[in-house]
Amino acid sequence: MGAEETPMVFLLLTIVGMVALSAYFSSSETAMMAVNRYRLRHLEQEGDPAAKRTNDLLSRPDRLLGVILIGNNLVNFSAATVATVIGLRLFGDIGVAAAPIVLTLLFLIFAEVAPKTIAAQFPERIAFPSSYVLGPLLKLLYPVVWFVNTISNLVVSPFARHADDGSDAGGDQLTQDEIRTLVNENEVLPERRQNMLLNVLDLEKVTVDDIMVPRAEIVGIDLDDPIEDILTLLASSEHTRLPVYRENINDIVGVLHLRRAVRLLKLDNVTIQDVEKQVREPYFVPEATPLNTQLLNFQKEKRRIALVVDEYGDIEGIVTLEDILEEIVGEFTTDLAGQIEEITPLDDGSFEIDAMAQLRDINKALGWTLPTDGPKTLNGFVLEHLGVIPDANAGLEVDGYRLEILGIERNRVLNVRAEAPREPPGEGHSNAS
């Protein structure tokens, strides 16, 4: 039976079937490429057979795309032939000219845009069932797929080598910024857990000197003090571990855990030597150690407190395991010392701030952007921009932030009245008065 003898109904049904097949291949291609690879691996680990088949197909995307495109193009070109026959039989030469236009619109709407849009919205619902068809089809058409992929790989190989030599990250590896974006856009995790994950990612950007208790605020035991004062400090201390030194913190002896100090409080005649016997040797860390590294070091050394030293070996402060954990989960409400308010709102919208407050803490609490790449405390920040230790109250403006010194004691600022900029802060602007 020739083409001119084929029933018109059969030809029309053939076109409809080919539209459906083309829609299947188009939607499968989009769904396979859009499916979440990490969820796919999770489902595969959970024992989902459809996820395993889909993941196996995606392990060689060139073969997968090869079989899909071979099937799709075969259907499309066959449909063009059938459409030409229909146009010729219905409208003659005009029908032959109109057939490609009509067929293009038909396939564009029903075999491309619509199915691909649906597949992009529901990739798993289409990709998983498609794996039952595409897997056997790949085996059936493997010689053709191999031939096509071999030629295409030869064509793209120069560009592939260029991509490998460049900075583009291939595969499914995510950069830290990409992970941060995934966490930010996740709608399943509660906000608090999102913040914790983001804080973990930021640990390597923060060093121990950013969060340490500065030297001037260290509470410790001076062995040159009278034993009565030492025992009083032990009985009233809010801290679990106390540095022990002689006269100066740089002459450090070690760290005393209050659990071991309890036995001292039960003795009648306690001596300095008794205190020294309960002291554990100190643990020093460089000031530039990232928090993620120090967290692992605490675990490795079985320590919870470390003395932070600068490049000259002088003690700059102390950092504890709790300080690092607070960077992840936030302030612990049971920390009595941490409940001391360093920022006091004033009626005019400004704030009175303890000058020993950390700039990072001020920025977190007030949503400010005071520079933190220099001094760590507000006292150091003010003195650096003034360039001198003032003998009277002074004011300055840095990047739009207005700072007025309210009190000075010896060589340091006690407290500051601070006001946020009324306009977006400029770059590097500083003005002292």
Side-chain angles (χ1 to χ4, degrees):
M1 183 173 62
E4 66 280 358
E5 299 176 4
T6 303
M8 182 61 65
V9 174
F10 179 79
L11 294 176
L12 292 175
L13 290 176
T14 300
I15 288 290
V16 172
M18 289 183 175
V19 170
L21 281 174
S22 181
Y24 163 75
F25 284 117
S26 297
S27 61
S28 297
E29 177 187 1
T30 300
M32 286 290 183
M33 296 300 108
V35 70
N36 188 313
R37 303 292 181 89
Y38 300 98
R39 173 171 168 77
L40 193 62
R41 291 171 185 167
H42 168 71
L43 292 176
E44 183 180 2
Q45 293 174 357
E46 293 291 318
D48 189 329
K52 184 180 187 310
R53 281 190 298 271
T54 303
N55 200 28
D56 290 341
L57 289 170
L58 286 170
S59 64
R60 287 298 302 269
D62 56 337
R63 294 178 180 176
L64 174 62
L65 290 175
V67 70
I68 291 176
L69 293 178
I70 288 172
N72 204 10
N73 281 281
L74 183 62
V75 169
N76 291 347
F77 287 125
S78 299
T81 301
V82 174
T84 301
V85 172
I86 294 175
L88 180 63
R89 290 179 60 179
L90 292 179
F91 305 104
D93 293 339
I94 297 178
V96 173
I101 299 175
V102 175
L103 189 67
T104 297
L105 291 175
L106 182 67
F107 269 67
L108 187 64
I109 295 172
F110 297 102
E112 293 290 337
V113 177
K116 286 187 174 183
T117 301
I118 296 173
Q121 294 179 347
F122 309 101
E124 287 185 15
R125 296 184 184 181
I126 295 176
F128 287 3
S130 294
S131 65
Y132 289 95
V133 177
L134 294 177
L137 190 60
L138 177 59
K139 294 179 180 178
L140 179 65
L141 299 178
Y142 184 78
V144 181
V145 173
W146 177 86
F147 176 76
V148 171
N149 284 343
T150 300
I151 302 300
S152 64
N153 288 338
L154 289 175
V155 174
V156 303
S157 58
F159 305 98
R161 283 197 296 267
H162 177 73
D164 291 340
D165 295 338
S167 59
D168 290 341
D172 299 327
Q173 299 299 319
L174 293 178
T175 65
Q176 191 173 89
D177 289 337
E178 290 169 339
I179 295 175
R180 183 178 286 103
T181 300
L182 287 177
V183 174
N184 273 323
E185 295 182 354
N186 189 289
E187 298 180 356
V188 178
L189 291 175
E191 182 180 358
R192 182 172 179 81
R193 294 185 184 178
Q194 284 183 329
N195 291 335
M196 289 173 61
L197 291 173
L198 293 174
N199 290 338
V200 170
L201 293 174
D202 288 336
L203 282 184
E204 67 178 25
K205 297 181 179 180
V206 185
T207 56
V208 293
D209 62 332
D210 289 323
I211 68 167
M212 69 181 182
V213 177
R215 175 172 174 161
E217 296 183 12
I218 293 178
V219 177
I221 297 174
D222 186 350
L223 294 179
D224 290 338
D225 288 343
I227 189 63
E228 293 80 8
D229 294 344
I230 294 175
L231 294 177
T232 299
L233 175 61
L234 292 175
S236 60
S237 175
E238 298 174 346
H239 305 283
T240 306
R241 294 168 178 82
L242 295 174
V244 179
Y245 57 90
R246 284 190 173 87
E247 186 179 358
N248 188 294
I249 188 63
N250 278 323
D251 189 9
I252 188 76
V253 174
V255 176
L256 176 62
H257 196 301
L258 289 191
R259 186 172 55 200
R260 305 183 66 179
V262 170
R263 66 193 67 176
L264 297 176
L265 300 177
K266 298 179 180 180
L267 300 178
D268 294 330
N269 297 311
V270 182
T271 64
I272 296 297
Q273 289 71 27
D274 293 330
V275 176
E276 286 190 80
K277 290 178 181 179
Q278 305 302 323
V279 173
R280 185 182 182 184
E281 70 278 2
Y283 170 46
F284 300 98
V285 298
E287 61 182 348
T289 306
L291 294 191
N292 61 330
T293 301
Q294 187 53 47
L295 184 61
L296 296 176
N297 288 342
F298 273 138
Q299 183 183 39
K300 178 182 177 181
E301 300 293 334
K302 302 296 189 291
R303 297 281 195 146
R304 300 177 70 93
I305 184 172
L307 294 134
V308 183
V309 297
D310 61 14
E311 57 183 319
Y312 303 105
D314 294 332
I315 294 177
E316 293 293 308
I318 59 174
V319 63
T320 66
L321 177 60
E322 184 181 82
D323 294 329
I324 300 179
L325 294 179
E326 285 181 348
E327 286 294 307
I328 301 174
V329 302
E331 297 289 333
F332 292 128
T333 57
T334 55
D335 179 11
L336 298 178
Q339 294 181 3
I340 299 175
E341 295 293 338
E342 296 176 318
I343 303 175
T344 303
L346 301 178
D347 294 337
D348 60 359
S350 61
F351 299 88
E352 181 178 340
I353 305 176
D354 187 328
M356 294 309 296
Q358 299 282 318
L359 292 177
R360 294 181 70 253
D361 294 338
I362 296 173
N363 287 340
K364 283 184 178 180
L366 302 179
W368 290 2
T369 56
L370 292 170
T372 58
D373 53 351
K376 305 303 179 183
T377 65
L378 183 58
N379 170 65
F381 181 80
V382 170
L383 294 182
E384 179 183 82
H385 283 82
L386 285 177
V388 296
I389 298 176
D391 53 8
N393 292 0
L396 69 155
E397 182 176 330
V398 181
D399 289 349
Y401 293 95
R402 298 182 179 182
L403 307 174
E404 178 187 351
I405 300 174
L406 300 180
I408 298 175
E409 182 181 69
R410 297 179 182 177
N411 295 328
R412 74 179 184 91
V413 178
L414 289 178
N415 47 8
V416 174
R417 177 183 170 274
E419 184 178 354
R422 295 186 176 88
E423 297 179 355
E427 293 293 332
H429 175 70
S430 176
N431 186 27
S433 61

